[in-house]
Amino acid sequence: MTEAFLEHVNFTVSDPAKTAQHLHDWFGWNIRWQGPSIYDGVTYHVGGSNSYVALYSPGTPNKGAESSYQTRGGMNHIAVVVDDLDATEQKIKESGYQTGNHADYEPGRRFYFRDENNIEFEVVSYT
C-alpha cells in the first residue's frame, strides 16, 4: 500500500498571479495550471511535481477579519522546507516582507512571515 501524501492546499488570495510569482521567486515553484474557477474567479496551481498550493481569487472577494488561530478549521500557517534558509530569507526580505520568530531547534532552523494576504509561512531548513 502506498503511503498517503498531501497533494495541495487552497488559499483565497487577492491577486493569484502576484502570489504565484512570489512563490516562484522565493521557493522556485512553477505554475502547473491556471484558469477560471468557481464564482467567476481564477485559480493558479503553483508548486513542484508532487504537490502544489492552489491560489484562488473570487470575482468579488470578501475581506476576512477573523483570526485563523481562533477559528475552528482555520489554516494557521504553511511550512516550506528549503535547503538554504538564509538565502531564502534574504529573497523574502527583498520582496518587502518582515521575518520574525527565528528559532534554532533540533533538528533544524526556522523563521516566520506573513504575506500581503495575511497567510503565515513558516520557512524551515534541516540542513
Side-chain angles (χ1 to χ4, degrees), residues 83-105:
D83 287 333
D84 190 332
L85 191 70
D86 297 325
T88 302
E89 183 174 20
Q90 186 61 36
K91 290 178 193 177
I92 291 164
K93 286 181 173 181
E94 288 172 359
S95 297
Y97 298 94
Q98 291 184 324
T99 61
N101 198 12
H102 295 77
D104 293 349
Y105 63 98

Side-chain angles (χ1 to χ4, degrees), residues 7-44:
E7 182 199 35
H8 76 274
V9 295
N10 188 322
F11 291 101
T12 300
V13 299
S14 59
D15 184 343
K18 180 179 179 182
T19 303
Q21 185 63 54
H22 282 315
L23 296 178
H24 171 75
D25 294 345
W26 299 333
F27 307 128
W29 294 349
N30 294 308
I31 296 172
R32 296 169 34 139
W33 176 85
Q34 69 186 66
S37 56
I38 193 168
Y39 304 121
D40 296 321
V42 64
T43 298
Y44 281 61

Side-chain angles (χ1 to χ4, degrees), residues 9 51 54 75 96 114 126:
V9 295
S51 64
M75 177 68 71
R114 288 186 179 273
Y126 297 111

